[in-house]
Amino acid sequence: PAAIRLYNGVGSALVSIRGAAGGDEQALIEEGAQWRYLDDGTDQGTAWRSTAFDDFVWEIGAGELGYGDGDEATVVGFGDDDDAKFATTYFRHRFQVSDLAGIGALTLRLRYDDAAAVYLNGTEVVRSSNLPAGAAFDAYATADVDDEDAFAVFAIPANLVVSGANVIAVEVHQGDG
């Protein structure tokens, strides 16, 4: 099975906004969007989550990103040993918001295998229950995901979005090596 899935389904956005008056939903990150990712097994500390972090040396790939079960647009690496995969892979995507007044709610749709933490502009907004707070870069998920093809849907705080450039940063952890 694929180990990492960060993308939106056909006709739906990975991150979307809904107008304050219950208006139409608008995609902030579209299907097939370009993501920066780091798949070399290194410890990135916490700086990689911030908007100021320089990720321009990271690889770039279109969603879906994964280990190669056949439906990815971008296959990411996991190390040289199939039986000792890196615990964590990092992903970042920049998006622009020009009108904060129109944002009433934010929705995040995420597919992952096996655990994930998501940060919006450096603030943690989602953490799967099988990834303990403060988990190190080499920590594996405490349990596998039941259905890696299902979307988990989260409401995230709209007040974290700023006018101009915004960053979604995601760390995905394997269940084991």
Side-chain angles (χ1 to χ4, degrees), residues 18-85:
R18 183 159 310 198
D24 293 336
E25 196 167 286
Q26 174 189 352
L28 291 176
I29 302 176
E30 296 282 353
E31 180 177 359
Q34 297 288 314
W35 288 77
R36 295 217 177 245
Y37 65 93
L38 185 68
D39 60 356
D40 66 1
T42 59
D43 182 359
Q44 293 300 295
T46 59
W48 71 276
R49 303 169 185 168
S50 79
T51 55
F53 181 76
D54 183 0
D55 60 12
F56 291 106
V57 298
W58 288 19
E59 298 290 328
I60 301 173
E64 170 180 346
L65 298 113
Y67 278 172
D69 68 349
D71 58 356
E72 296 88 353
T74 302
V75 176
V76 300
F78 52 77
D80 295 331
D81 186 346
D82 287 351
D83 295 321
K85 294 177 179 76

Side-chain angles (χ1 to χ4, degrees), residues 1-7 64 67 69 71-72 110-115 144-152 174:
I4 300 163
R5 294 171 180 244
L6 293 172
Y7 77 104
E64 170 180 346
Y67 278 172
D69 68 349
D71 58 356
E72 296 88 353
L110 180 66
R111 290 185 358 175
Y112 60 91
D113 180 13
D114 285 298
D144 292 340
V145 171
D146 290 333
D147 183 0
E148 66 188 47
D149 291 324
F151 280 103
Q174 291 299 296

Side-chain angles (χ1 to χ4, degrees), residues 80-153:
D80 295 331
D81 186 346
D82 287 351
D83 295 321
K85 294 177 179 76
F86 298 138
T88 305
T89 304
Y90 303 94
F91 302 87
R92 290 171 49 89
H93 180 81
R94 295 177 192 278
F95 62 94
Q96 297 288 321
V97 173
S98 58
D99 181 14
L100 292 176
I103 298 178
L106 283 176
T107 302
L108 169 71
R109 295 174 38 117
L110 180 66
R111 290 185 358 175
Y112 60 91
D113 180 13
D114 285 298
V118 180
Y119 307 87
L120 175 57
N121 294 330
T123 299
E124 184 176 311
V125 293
V126 170
R127 178 174 293 269
S128 61
S129 61
N130 57 352
L131 184 62
F137 82 101
D138 58 353
Y140 291 99
T142 59
D144 292 340
V145 171
D146 290 333
D147 183 0
E148 66 188 47
D149 291 324
F151 280 103
V153 179

Side-chain angles (χ1 to χ4, degrees), residues 15 33 55 59 105 117 135 150 154 156-157 165:
V15 177
D55 60 12
E59 298 290 328
F154 306 93
I156 55 178

